[in-house]
Amino acid sequence: MKITGARVIVCCPGRNFVTLKLETDAGLTGLGDASLNGRELAVASYLTEHVVPLLIGRDASRIEDTWQYLYRGAYWRRGPVTMSAIAAVDTALWDIKAKAAGMPLYQLLGGASRERVLVYAHANGRDIAETVDEVHRHAALGYRAIRAQSGVPGLDKVYGVATDRKPYEPATKGLPLEQDWDSSRYLRHAPKLFEAVRDAIGWDYELLHDVHHRLTPIEAARLGKDLEPYRLFWMEDATPAENQEAFRLIRQHTTTPLAVGEIFNTVWDCKDLIQHQLIDFIRTTVVHAGGITHLRRIADLAALYQVRTGSHGATDLSPVCMGAALHFDLWVPNFGIQEHMPHNEATDEVFPHAYRYEAGFMHPGEAPGHGVEIDEKLAANYPYDRAYLPVNRLQRDGALWDW
Ligand code: CS2
Ligand code: MG
């Protein structure tokens, strides 16, 4: 079976998505997500200008060879743009292979290891009371695991807290939004949030929290310690991880489980963290970490050290990524949890899908392939609309800080 066509479709049904569609001489098509929030067109052009010409005429069944060809062959390795482009090709090829076999993708990976995929929801509010309300609302929707974020007294805008109570904030039109930050205010506030949430919801729910890279290692260590009484499922992205050793310091001080990896692209970004057992959950996902082929490599390394998966699943990843991730989650033996933020209605219409949510869990469905398609006509009604992620500045002196 040969690849006869490859097209990049960019659309914006609320958020910007980049989708690669492969066609074959057998009449089968496959889809891969290549969305990189705020830098979408870099991946689109990497694909169109440099990858698509290499794909035409290739054997669609040679997924591994194509992965190696694009990774080693480029000479310039790793990085979010390269790895998202490779991921899109890889995901589309797995989609085609599973369709050719007449099977849902998880069957090709080795079959289901579980009946359903545990997902966590997002609860956020401008203050603690509002966040507690949101936690209750998500519990009523059936979620067993809930991430809680709240505004911080004295700070204008904080990551994870949507403006106008919209479900999701990152990426706005015009210049990047400037948020302000003060680690001391945040460090005083976060334990109070979890004390209130535990008081309100009790102990039958898993609670999660995202620090979004904003603390230094020693501050992260202190937060982990202060949150211990509330038994979090994880504390996410406590500090930036370019220096993987930084996590050793956090680890020495706290038993709060640590998650990281939504911005990682390859196993090399995770390697030290996993091998030295400095983390508990690895959050790499299909679209930004080289597709199913590479994610499987990361998960297998993690399994050796009892590190479990917890794939990124924000709404800036398209339903194509979500579908593929859910097949992966249903199979992967060392599964931990999957992030779930429902897409808006327009996105769900543009990307009809077989996956479904039910009472705190998801399932990828039984459609052959990964079960996600694109309505190209509808997609054409939503042209690309440039948007940027916010930047973060210290309240004290306006210096640029981590976001
Ligand atoms: C996040 C994301 O879901 C998460 O945990 O940290 O919201 C992240 O900020 C966005 O995906 C960035 O595009
Ligand atoms: Mg995050």
Side-chain angles (χ1 to χ4, degrees), residues 180-228:
D180 58 354
W181 184 249
D182 184 298
S183 294
S184 309
R185 290 183 193 275
Y186 167 71
L187 284 169
R188 286 197 300 273
H189 185 69
K192 291 182 199 155
L193 166 67
F194 282 92
E195 186 184 10
V197 172
R198 270 294 176 223
D199 271 357
I201 198 94
W203 296 91
D204 287 341
Y205 292 86
E206 302 289 4
L207 295 179
L208 301 85
H209 184 63
D210 189 352
V211 184
H212 222 260
H213 320 273
R214 292 178 160 186
L215 297 178
T216 64
I218 197 68
E219 288 168 345
R222 187 180 334 134
L223 179 62
K225 248 174 135 164
D226 290 349
L227 293 178
E228 276 172 23

Side-chain angles (χ1 to χ4, degrees), residues 120 122 147 149 159 209-213 234 236-237 262-263 283 312 314 339:
Y120 71 89
H122 284 222
R147 180 185 109 155
Q149 309 288 137
Y159 164 76
H209 184 63
D210 189 352
V211 184
H212 222 260
H213 320 273
W234 78 35
E236 173 184 336
D237 289 344
E262 67 181 38
I263 68 166
R283 278 179 48 70
H312 188 200
E339 181 176 10

Side-chain angles (χ1 to χ4, degrees), residues 87-361:
V89 177
D90 186 79
T91 307
L93 289 178
W94 277 103
D95 191 22
I96 289 170
K97 195 182 267 299
K99 282 177 178 168
M103 290 177 182
L105 174 56
Y106 74 83
Q107 291 291 6
L108 282 195
L109 295 173
S113 298
R114 53 193 55 78
E115 305 300 321
R116 53 192 89 86
V117 173
L118 176 69
V119 295
Y120 71 89
H122 284 222
N124 63 76
R126 284 165 294 185
D127 55 25
I128 291 179
E130 220 173 79
T131 304
V132 167
D133 283 352
E134 281 293 290
V135 168
H136 280 307
R137 192 171 71 79
H138 284 92
L141 291 170
Y143 288 98
R144 315 295 313 159
I146 301 169
R147 180 185 109 155
Q149 309 288 137
S150 114
V152 176
L155 294 182
D156 260 4
K157 280 197 160 306
V158 174
Y159 164 76
V161 180
T163 36
D164 312 329
R165 310 210 69 182
K166 279 188 273 167
Y168 191 51
E169 76 303 332
T172 44
K173 286 191 217 170
L175 292 176
L177 214 69
E178 305 245 337
Q179 303 188 335
D180 58 354
W181 184 249
D182 184 298
S183 294
S184 309
R185 290 183 193 275
Y186 167 71
L187 284 169
R188 286 197 300 273
H189 185 69
K192 291 182 199 155
L193 166 67
F194 282 92
E195 186 184 10
V197 172
R198 270 294 176 223
D199 271 357
I201 198 94
W203 296 91
D204 287 341
Y205 292 86
E206 302 289 4
L207 295 179
L208 301 85
H209 184 63
D210 189 352
V211 184
H212 222 260
H213 320 273
R214 292 178 160 186
L215 297 178
T216 64
I218 197 68
E219 288 168 345
R222 187 180 334 134
L223 179 62
K225 248 174 135 164
D226 290 349
L227 293 178
E228 276 172 23
Y230 314 112
R231 297 287 192 272
L232 262 56
F233 187 83
W234 78 35
M235 175 169 80
E236 173 184 336
D237 289 344
T239 197
E242 284 97 325
N243 168 23
Q244 298 184 33
E245 277 290 311
F247 275 69
R248 191 181 298 282
L249 192 143
I250 307 173
R251 200 56 148 181
Q252 279 163 352
H253 291 281
T254 181
T255 56
T256 294
L258 304 176
V260 70
E262 67 181 38
I263 68 166
F264 293 177
N265 317 121
T266 70
V267 71
W268 303 102
D269 301 325
C270 324
K271 180 179 153 286
D272 295 349
L273 288 168
I274 291 173
Q275 287 183 330
H276 299 304
Q277 298 186 252
L278 304 181
I279 56 169
D280 302 277
F281 295 93
I282 186 71
R283 278 179 48 70
T284 41
T285 192
V286 177
V287 54
H288 298 138
I292 296 282
T293 297
H294 197 66
L295 198 60
R296 189 160 66 167
R297 229 140 256 161
I298 295 173
D300 281 343
L301 175 68
L304 302 182
Y305 300 93
Q306 289 175 273
V307 172
R308 292 183 288 157
T309 65
S311 281
H312 188 200
T315 48
D316 52 274
L317 319 183
S318 95
V320 176
C321 176
M322 191 63 184
L326 287 168
H327 284 271
F328 189 84
D329 295 337
L330 199 68
W331 158 73
V332 70
N334 50 323
F335 171 76
I337 202 164
Q338 167 70 49
E339 181 176 10
H340 177 226
M341 246 190 235
H343 285 104
N344 67 11
E345 223 174 284
T347 302
D348 282 339
E349 279 166 18
V350 169
F351 296 96
H353 50 261
Y355 63 76
R356 57 181 191 274
Y357 168 84
E358 201 189 324
F361 293 86

